[in-house]
Amino acid sequence: FPSHDNGPTRETKMEVQEQVQQQPVPQQQREITFSPYPKPVPKAENNRELSKLLRWKSPKLLTLLGRTKSDHYSTLFIRKRGASGKLRTLHNPDGLMRAAQFKILTEILNKIEVPDYVYAFERGKNIPKMAEAHVGKGMVLSLDLKDFFGSIKQYHLQALFQHLGFGVSASRTLSELCT
């Protein structure tokens, strides 16, 4: 039966965020991957190492970009498809932020193996191919998570990067650049 708990309070979330920022992930937990066939994921302990990994000119510029991230986005509104015609809010990165995010994608994220059953945002995979796996099944459930991207918080990504083996400062900078 579902719990009637409304989830974590604001204070609990802040406590978790503070713990993530202050406590590095122990070395033995850094080797965990998401696939039974792991490829090594590049790692960096600090922003200097992160800058080298991303082939970025300056660790200070990378850190500053993360700390001033709100200055590097413009807001766009487009109409959603369908009958509702509601507006979808897009946060469009400027050239500098886009370049940093592309480096994170190509030098880190694309090197993480994901399980075969993951189809979202994977090259060569699409909705019709995913649907083929469900042909003839008795029941298929389709879900759409409301405001999915808006629900991802910086402290979630910082914890994920630490889990992947990045140091606290590198994880913080990566999470700032990705949210």
Side-chain angles (χ1 to χ4, degrees):
F1 291 96
S3 166
H4 293 288
D5 180 20
N6 290 330
T9 64
R10 185 172 192 274
E11 291 77 21
T12 305
K13 287 179 184 178
M14 290 173 63
E15 288 172 14
V16 169
Q17 185 175 5
E18 287 173 10
Q19 286 177 343
V20 167
Q21 289 176 346
Q22 294 173 1
Q23 299 197 7
V25 176
Q27 186 65 35
Q28 66 271 19
Q29 292 181 12
R30 292 183 180 194
E31 303 306 318
I32 297 172
T33 62
F34 296 108
S35 170
Y37 309 103
K39 291 190 288 189
V41 177
K43 295 175 179 62
E45 270 302 313
N46 53 50
N47 287 343
R48 185 177 317 286
E49 291 178 15
L50 180 61
S51 178
K52 285 182 185 178
L53 174 65
L54 297 177
R55 299 183 202 153
W56 199 257
K57 296 175 187 176
S58 159
K60 288 182 180 179
L61 179 60
L62 196 61
T63 304
L64 182 64
L65 183 60
R67 299 278 163 84
T68 61
K69 63 185 177 182
S70 61
D71 297 339
H72 297 277
Y73 285 90
S74 58
T75 304
L76 306 171
F77 300 96
I78 61 170
R79 293 238 178 257
K80 290 183 178 182
R81 288 183 269 176
S84 74
K86 292 181 179 179
L87 291 177
R88 178 186 308 268
T89 304
L90 299 177
H91 301 284
N92 189 31
D94 67 13
L96 190 59
M97 182 64 79
R98 189 180 305 269
Q101 291 172 343
F102 184 76
K103 290 283 192 179
I104 293 168
L105 176 67
T106 58
E107 300 301 326
I108 299 170
L109 299 177
N110 280 348
K111 296 179 181 180
I112 299 171
E113 281 192 53
V114 295
D116 291 339
Y117 56 81
V118 173
Y119 277 75
F121 305 103
E122 288 293 305
R123 285 186 180 222
K125 294 183 178 182
N126 54 44
I127 293 172
K129 283 185 180 181
M130 185 259 319
E132 285 175 11
H134 301 287
V135 171
K137 302 292 184 205
M139 183 185 308
V140 176
L141 177 65
S142 176
L143 297 173
D144 184 16
L145 301 177
K146 184 178 180 179
D147 194 27
F148 173 74
F149 291 107
S151 71
I152 298 171
K153 304 299 179 205
Q154 182 181 334
Y155 64 91
H156 295 138
L157 287 182
Q158 183 172 344
L160 176 65
F161 283 118
Q162 283 184 247
H163 178 77
L164 288 171
F166 288 88
V168 175
S169 62
S171 295
R172 183 173 39 251
T173 298
L174 285 166
S175 67
E176 289 169 347
L177 293 170
C178 292
T179 55

